[in-house]
Amino acid sequence: LAKTTQPISMDSYEGQEVNITCSHNNIATNDYITWYQQFPSQGPRFIIQGYKTKVTNEVASLFIPADRKSSTLSLPRVSLSDTAVYYCLVGDMTVGGYSTLTFGKGTMLLVSP
Amino acid sequence: KAGVTQTPRYLIKTRGQQVTLSCSPISGHRSVSWYQQTPGQGLQFLFEYFSETQRNKGNFPGRFSGRQFSNSRSEMNVSTLELGDSALYLCASSLNRVSTEAFFGQGTRLTVV
């Protein structure tokens, strides 16, 4: 699985847009980019997944440039409840799927009033 | 529909004892994976089961084992517990081995004293 690099932590205020960037320079052709959110003492929760360009759902948007060597998770108008650790994962969904999810250290997002 | 259920939620054991943790995946999901999460090492893959067979195993000693039943429920066992086994153990289920997302349970908090 491709290695990912994310900022260790980020701070924001309620109502702001937060963008978390993940670098994955050695991403392979079949790799997808997936983001998970984890609150303390809970399991990670799937946020969004994409392969290229832009993906949007009710929770977030994922921007992937043409070279796919990085991706940006965008959280619009964050609230206090968005304080969590965000993980970026890159992997080939056609081989073993989620059997060997490799989680990095993630980004600790702290949202303040 | 019901999510992934892990039991028990909390457990305290003594060094040298053994422990069995249980995971009931989402109905219809056939793939179950186990992860260990500690503050120092983060989330680490333990093993994956699909159709009652272990498909993949992480880099953990043989004291860690698991199994999956015909109804897809899974158990993991840790024998001869060590203090370092204290962790949050997470179970994730997915529809099959190439699903687009995995659903995590809330985990079992194991404390070894």
Side-chain angles (χ1 to χ4, degrees), chain A:
Chain A
L1 294 172
K3 182 179 178 180
T4 60
T5 303
Q6 309 173 228
I8 294 175
S9 64
M10 293 184 68
D11 294 321
S12 183
Y13 293 96
E14 282 190 293
Q16 289 190 331
E17 177 185 74
V18 172
N19 296 308
I20 306 175
T21 297
C22 178
S23 297
H24 28 81
N25 292 319
N26 58 340
I27 188 169
T29 303
N30 290 335
D31 285 348
Y32 279 73
I33 301 155
T34 310
W35 286 80
Y36 277 79
Q37 173 194 55
Q38 185 179 27
F39 299 111
S41 296
Q42 290 189 28
R45 182 177 73 103
F46 174 92
I47 299 176
I48 198 167
Q49 183 183 74
Y51 183 80
K52 61 180 180 180
T53 62
K54 176 184 175 182
V55 179
T56 298
N57 60 24
E58 65 279 4
V59 177
S61 293
L62 179 59
F63 299 91
I64 306 169
D67 66 5
R68 303 199 328 122
K69 293 184 182 302
S70 67
S71 59
T72 299
L73 174 72
S74 181
L75 305 172
R77 297 178 297 283
V78 295
S79 63
L80 296 178
S81 62
D82 292 316
T83 293
V85 178
Y86 293 82
Y87 296 96
C88 165
L89 294 89
V90 174
D92 183 353
M93 296 311 302
T94 65
V95 179
Y98 278 86
S99 66
T100 54
L101 279 175
T102 300
F103 286 82
K105 297 296 185 183
T107 298
M108 176 63 220
L109 172 65
L110 176 62
V111 180
S112 301

Side-chain angles (χ1 to χ4, degrees), chain B residues 30-113:
Chain B
R30 298 168 62 195
S31 176
V32 173
S33 298
W34 289 88
Y35 294 81
Q36 180 196 66
Q37 186 171 32
T38 59
Q41 298 298 318
L43 269 159
Q44 293 185 286
F45 170 76
L46 279 159
F47 26 65
E48 180 223 0
Y49 286 88
F50 181 79
S51 293
E52 302 178 63
T53 302
Q54 187 180 89
R55 303 290 177 164
N56 222 326
K57 191 177 191 303
N59 189 25
F60 278 83
R63 299 185 297 107
F64 292 81
S65 63
R67 59 177 174 170
Q68 186 180 35
F69 303 96
S70 58
N71 61 358
S72 293
R73 189 177 71 86
S74 177
E75 289 181 347
M76 69 163 280
N77 183 277
V78 187
S79 62
T80 319
L81 284 166
E82 301 176 358
L83 295 179
D85 296 333
S86 294
L88 180 66
Y89 289 89
L90 292 160
C91 164
S93 84
S94 57
L95 190 60
N96 53 49
R97 299 196 72 210
V98 291
S99 297
T100 56
E101 65 180 281
F103 297 83
F104 284 81
Q106 290 194 293
T108 294
R109 171 74 63 187
L110 171 65
T111 301
V112 182
V113 298

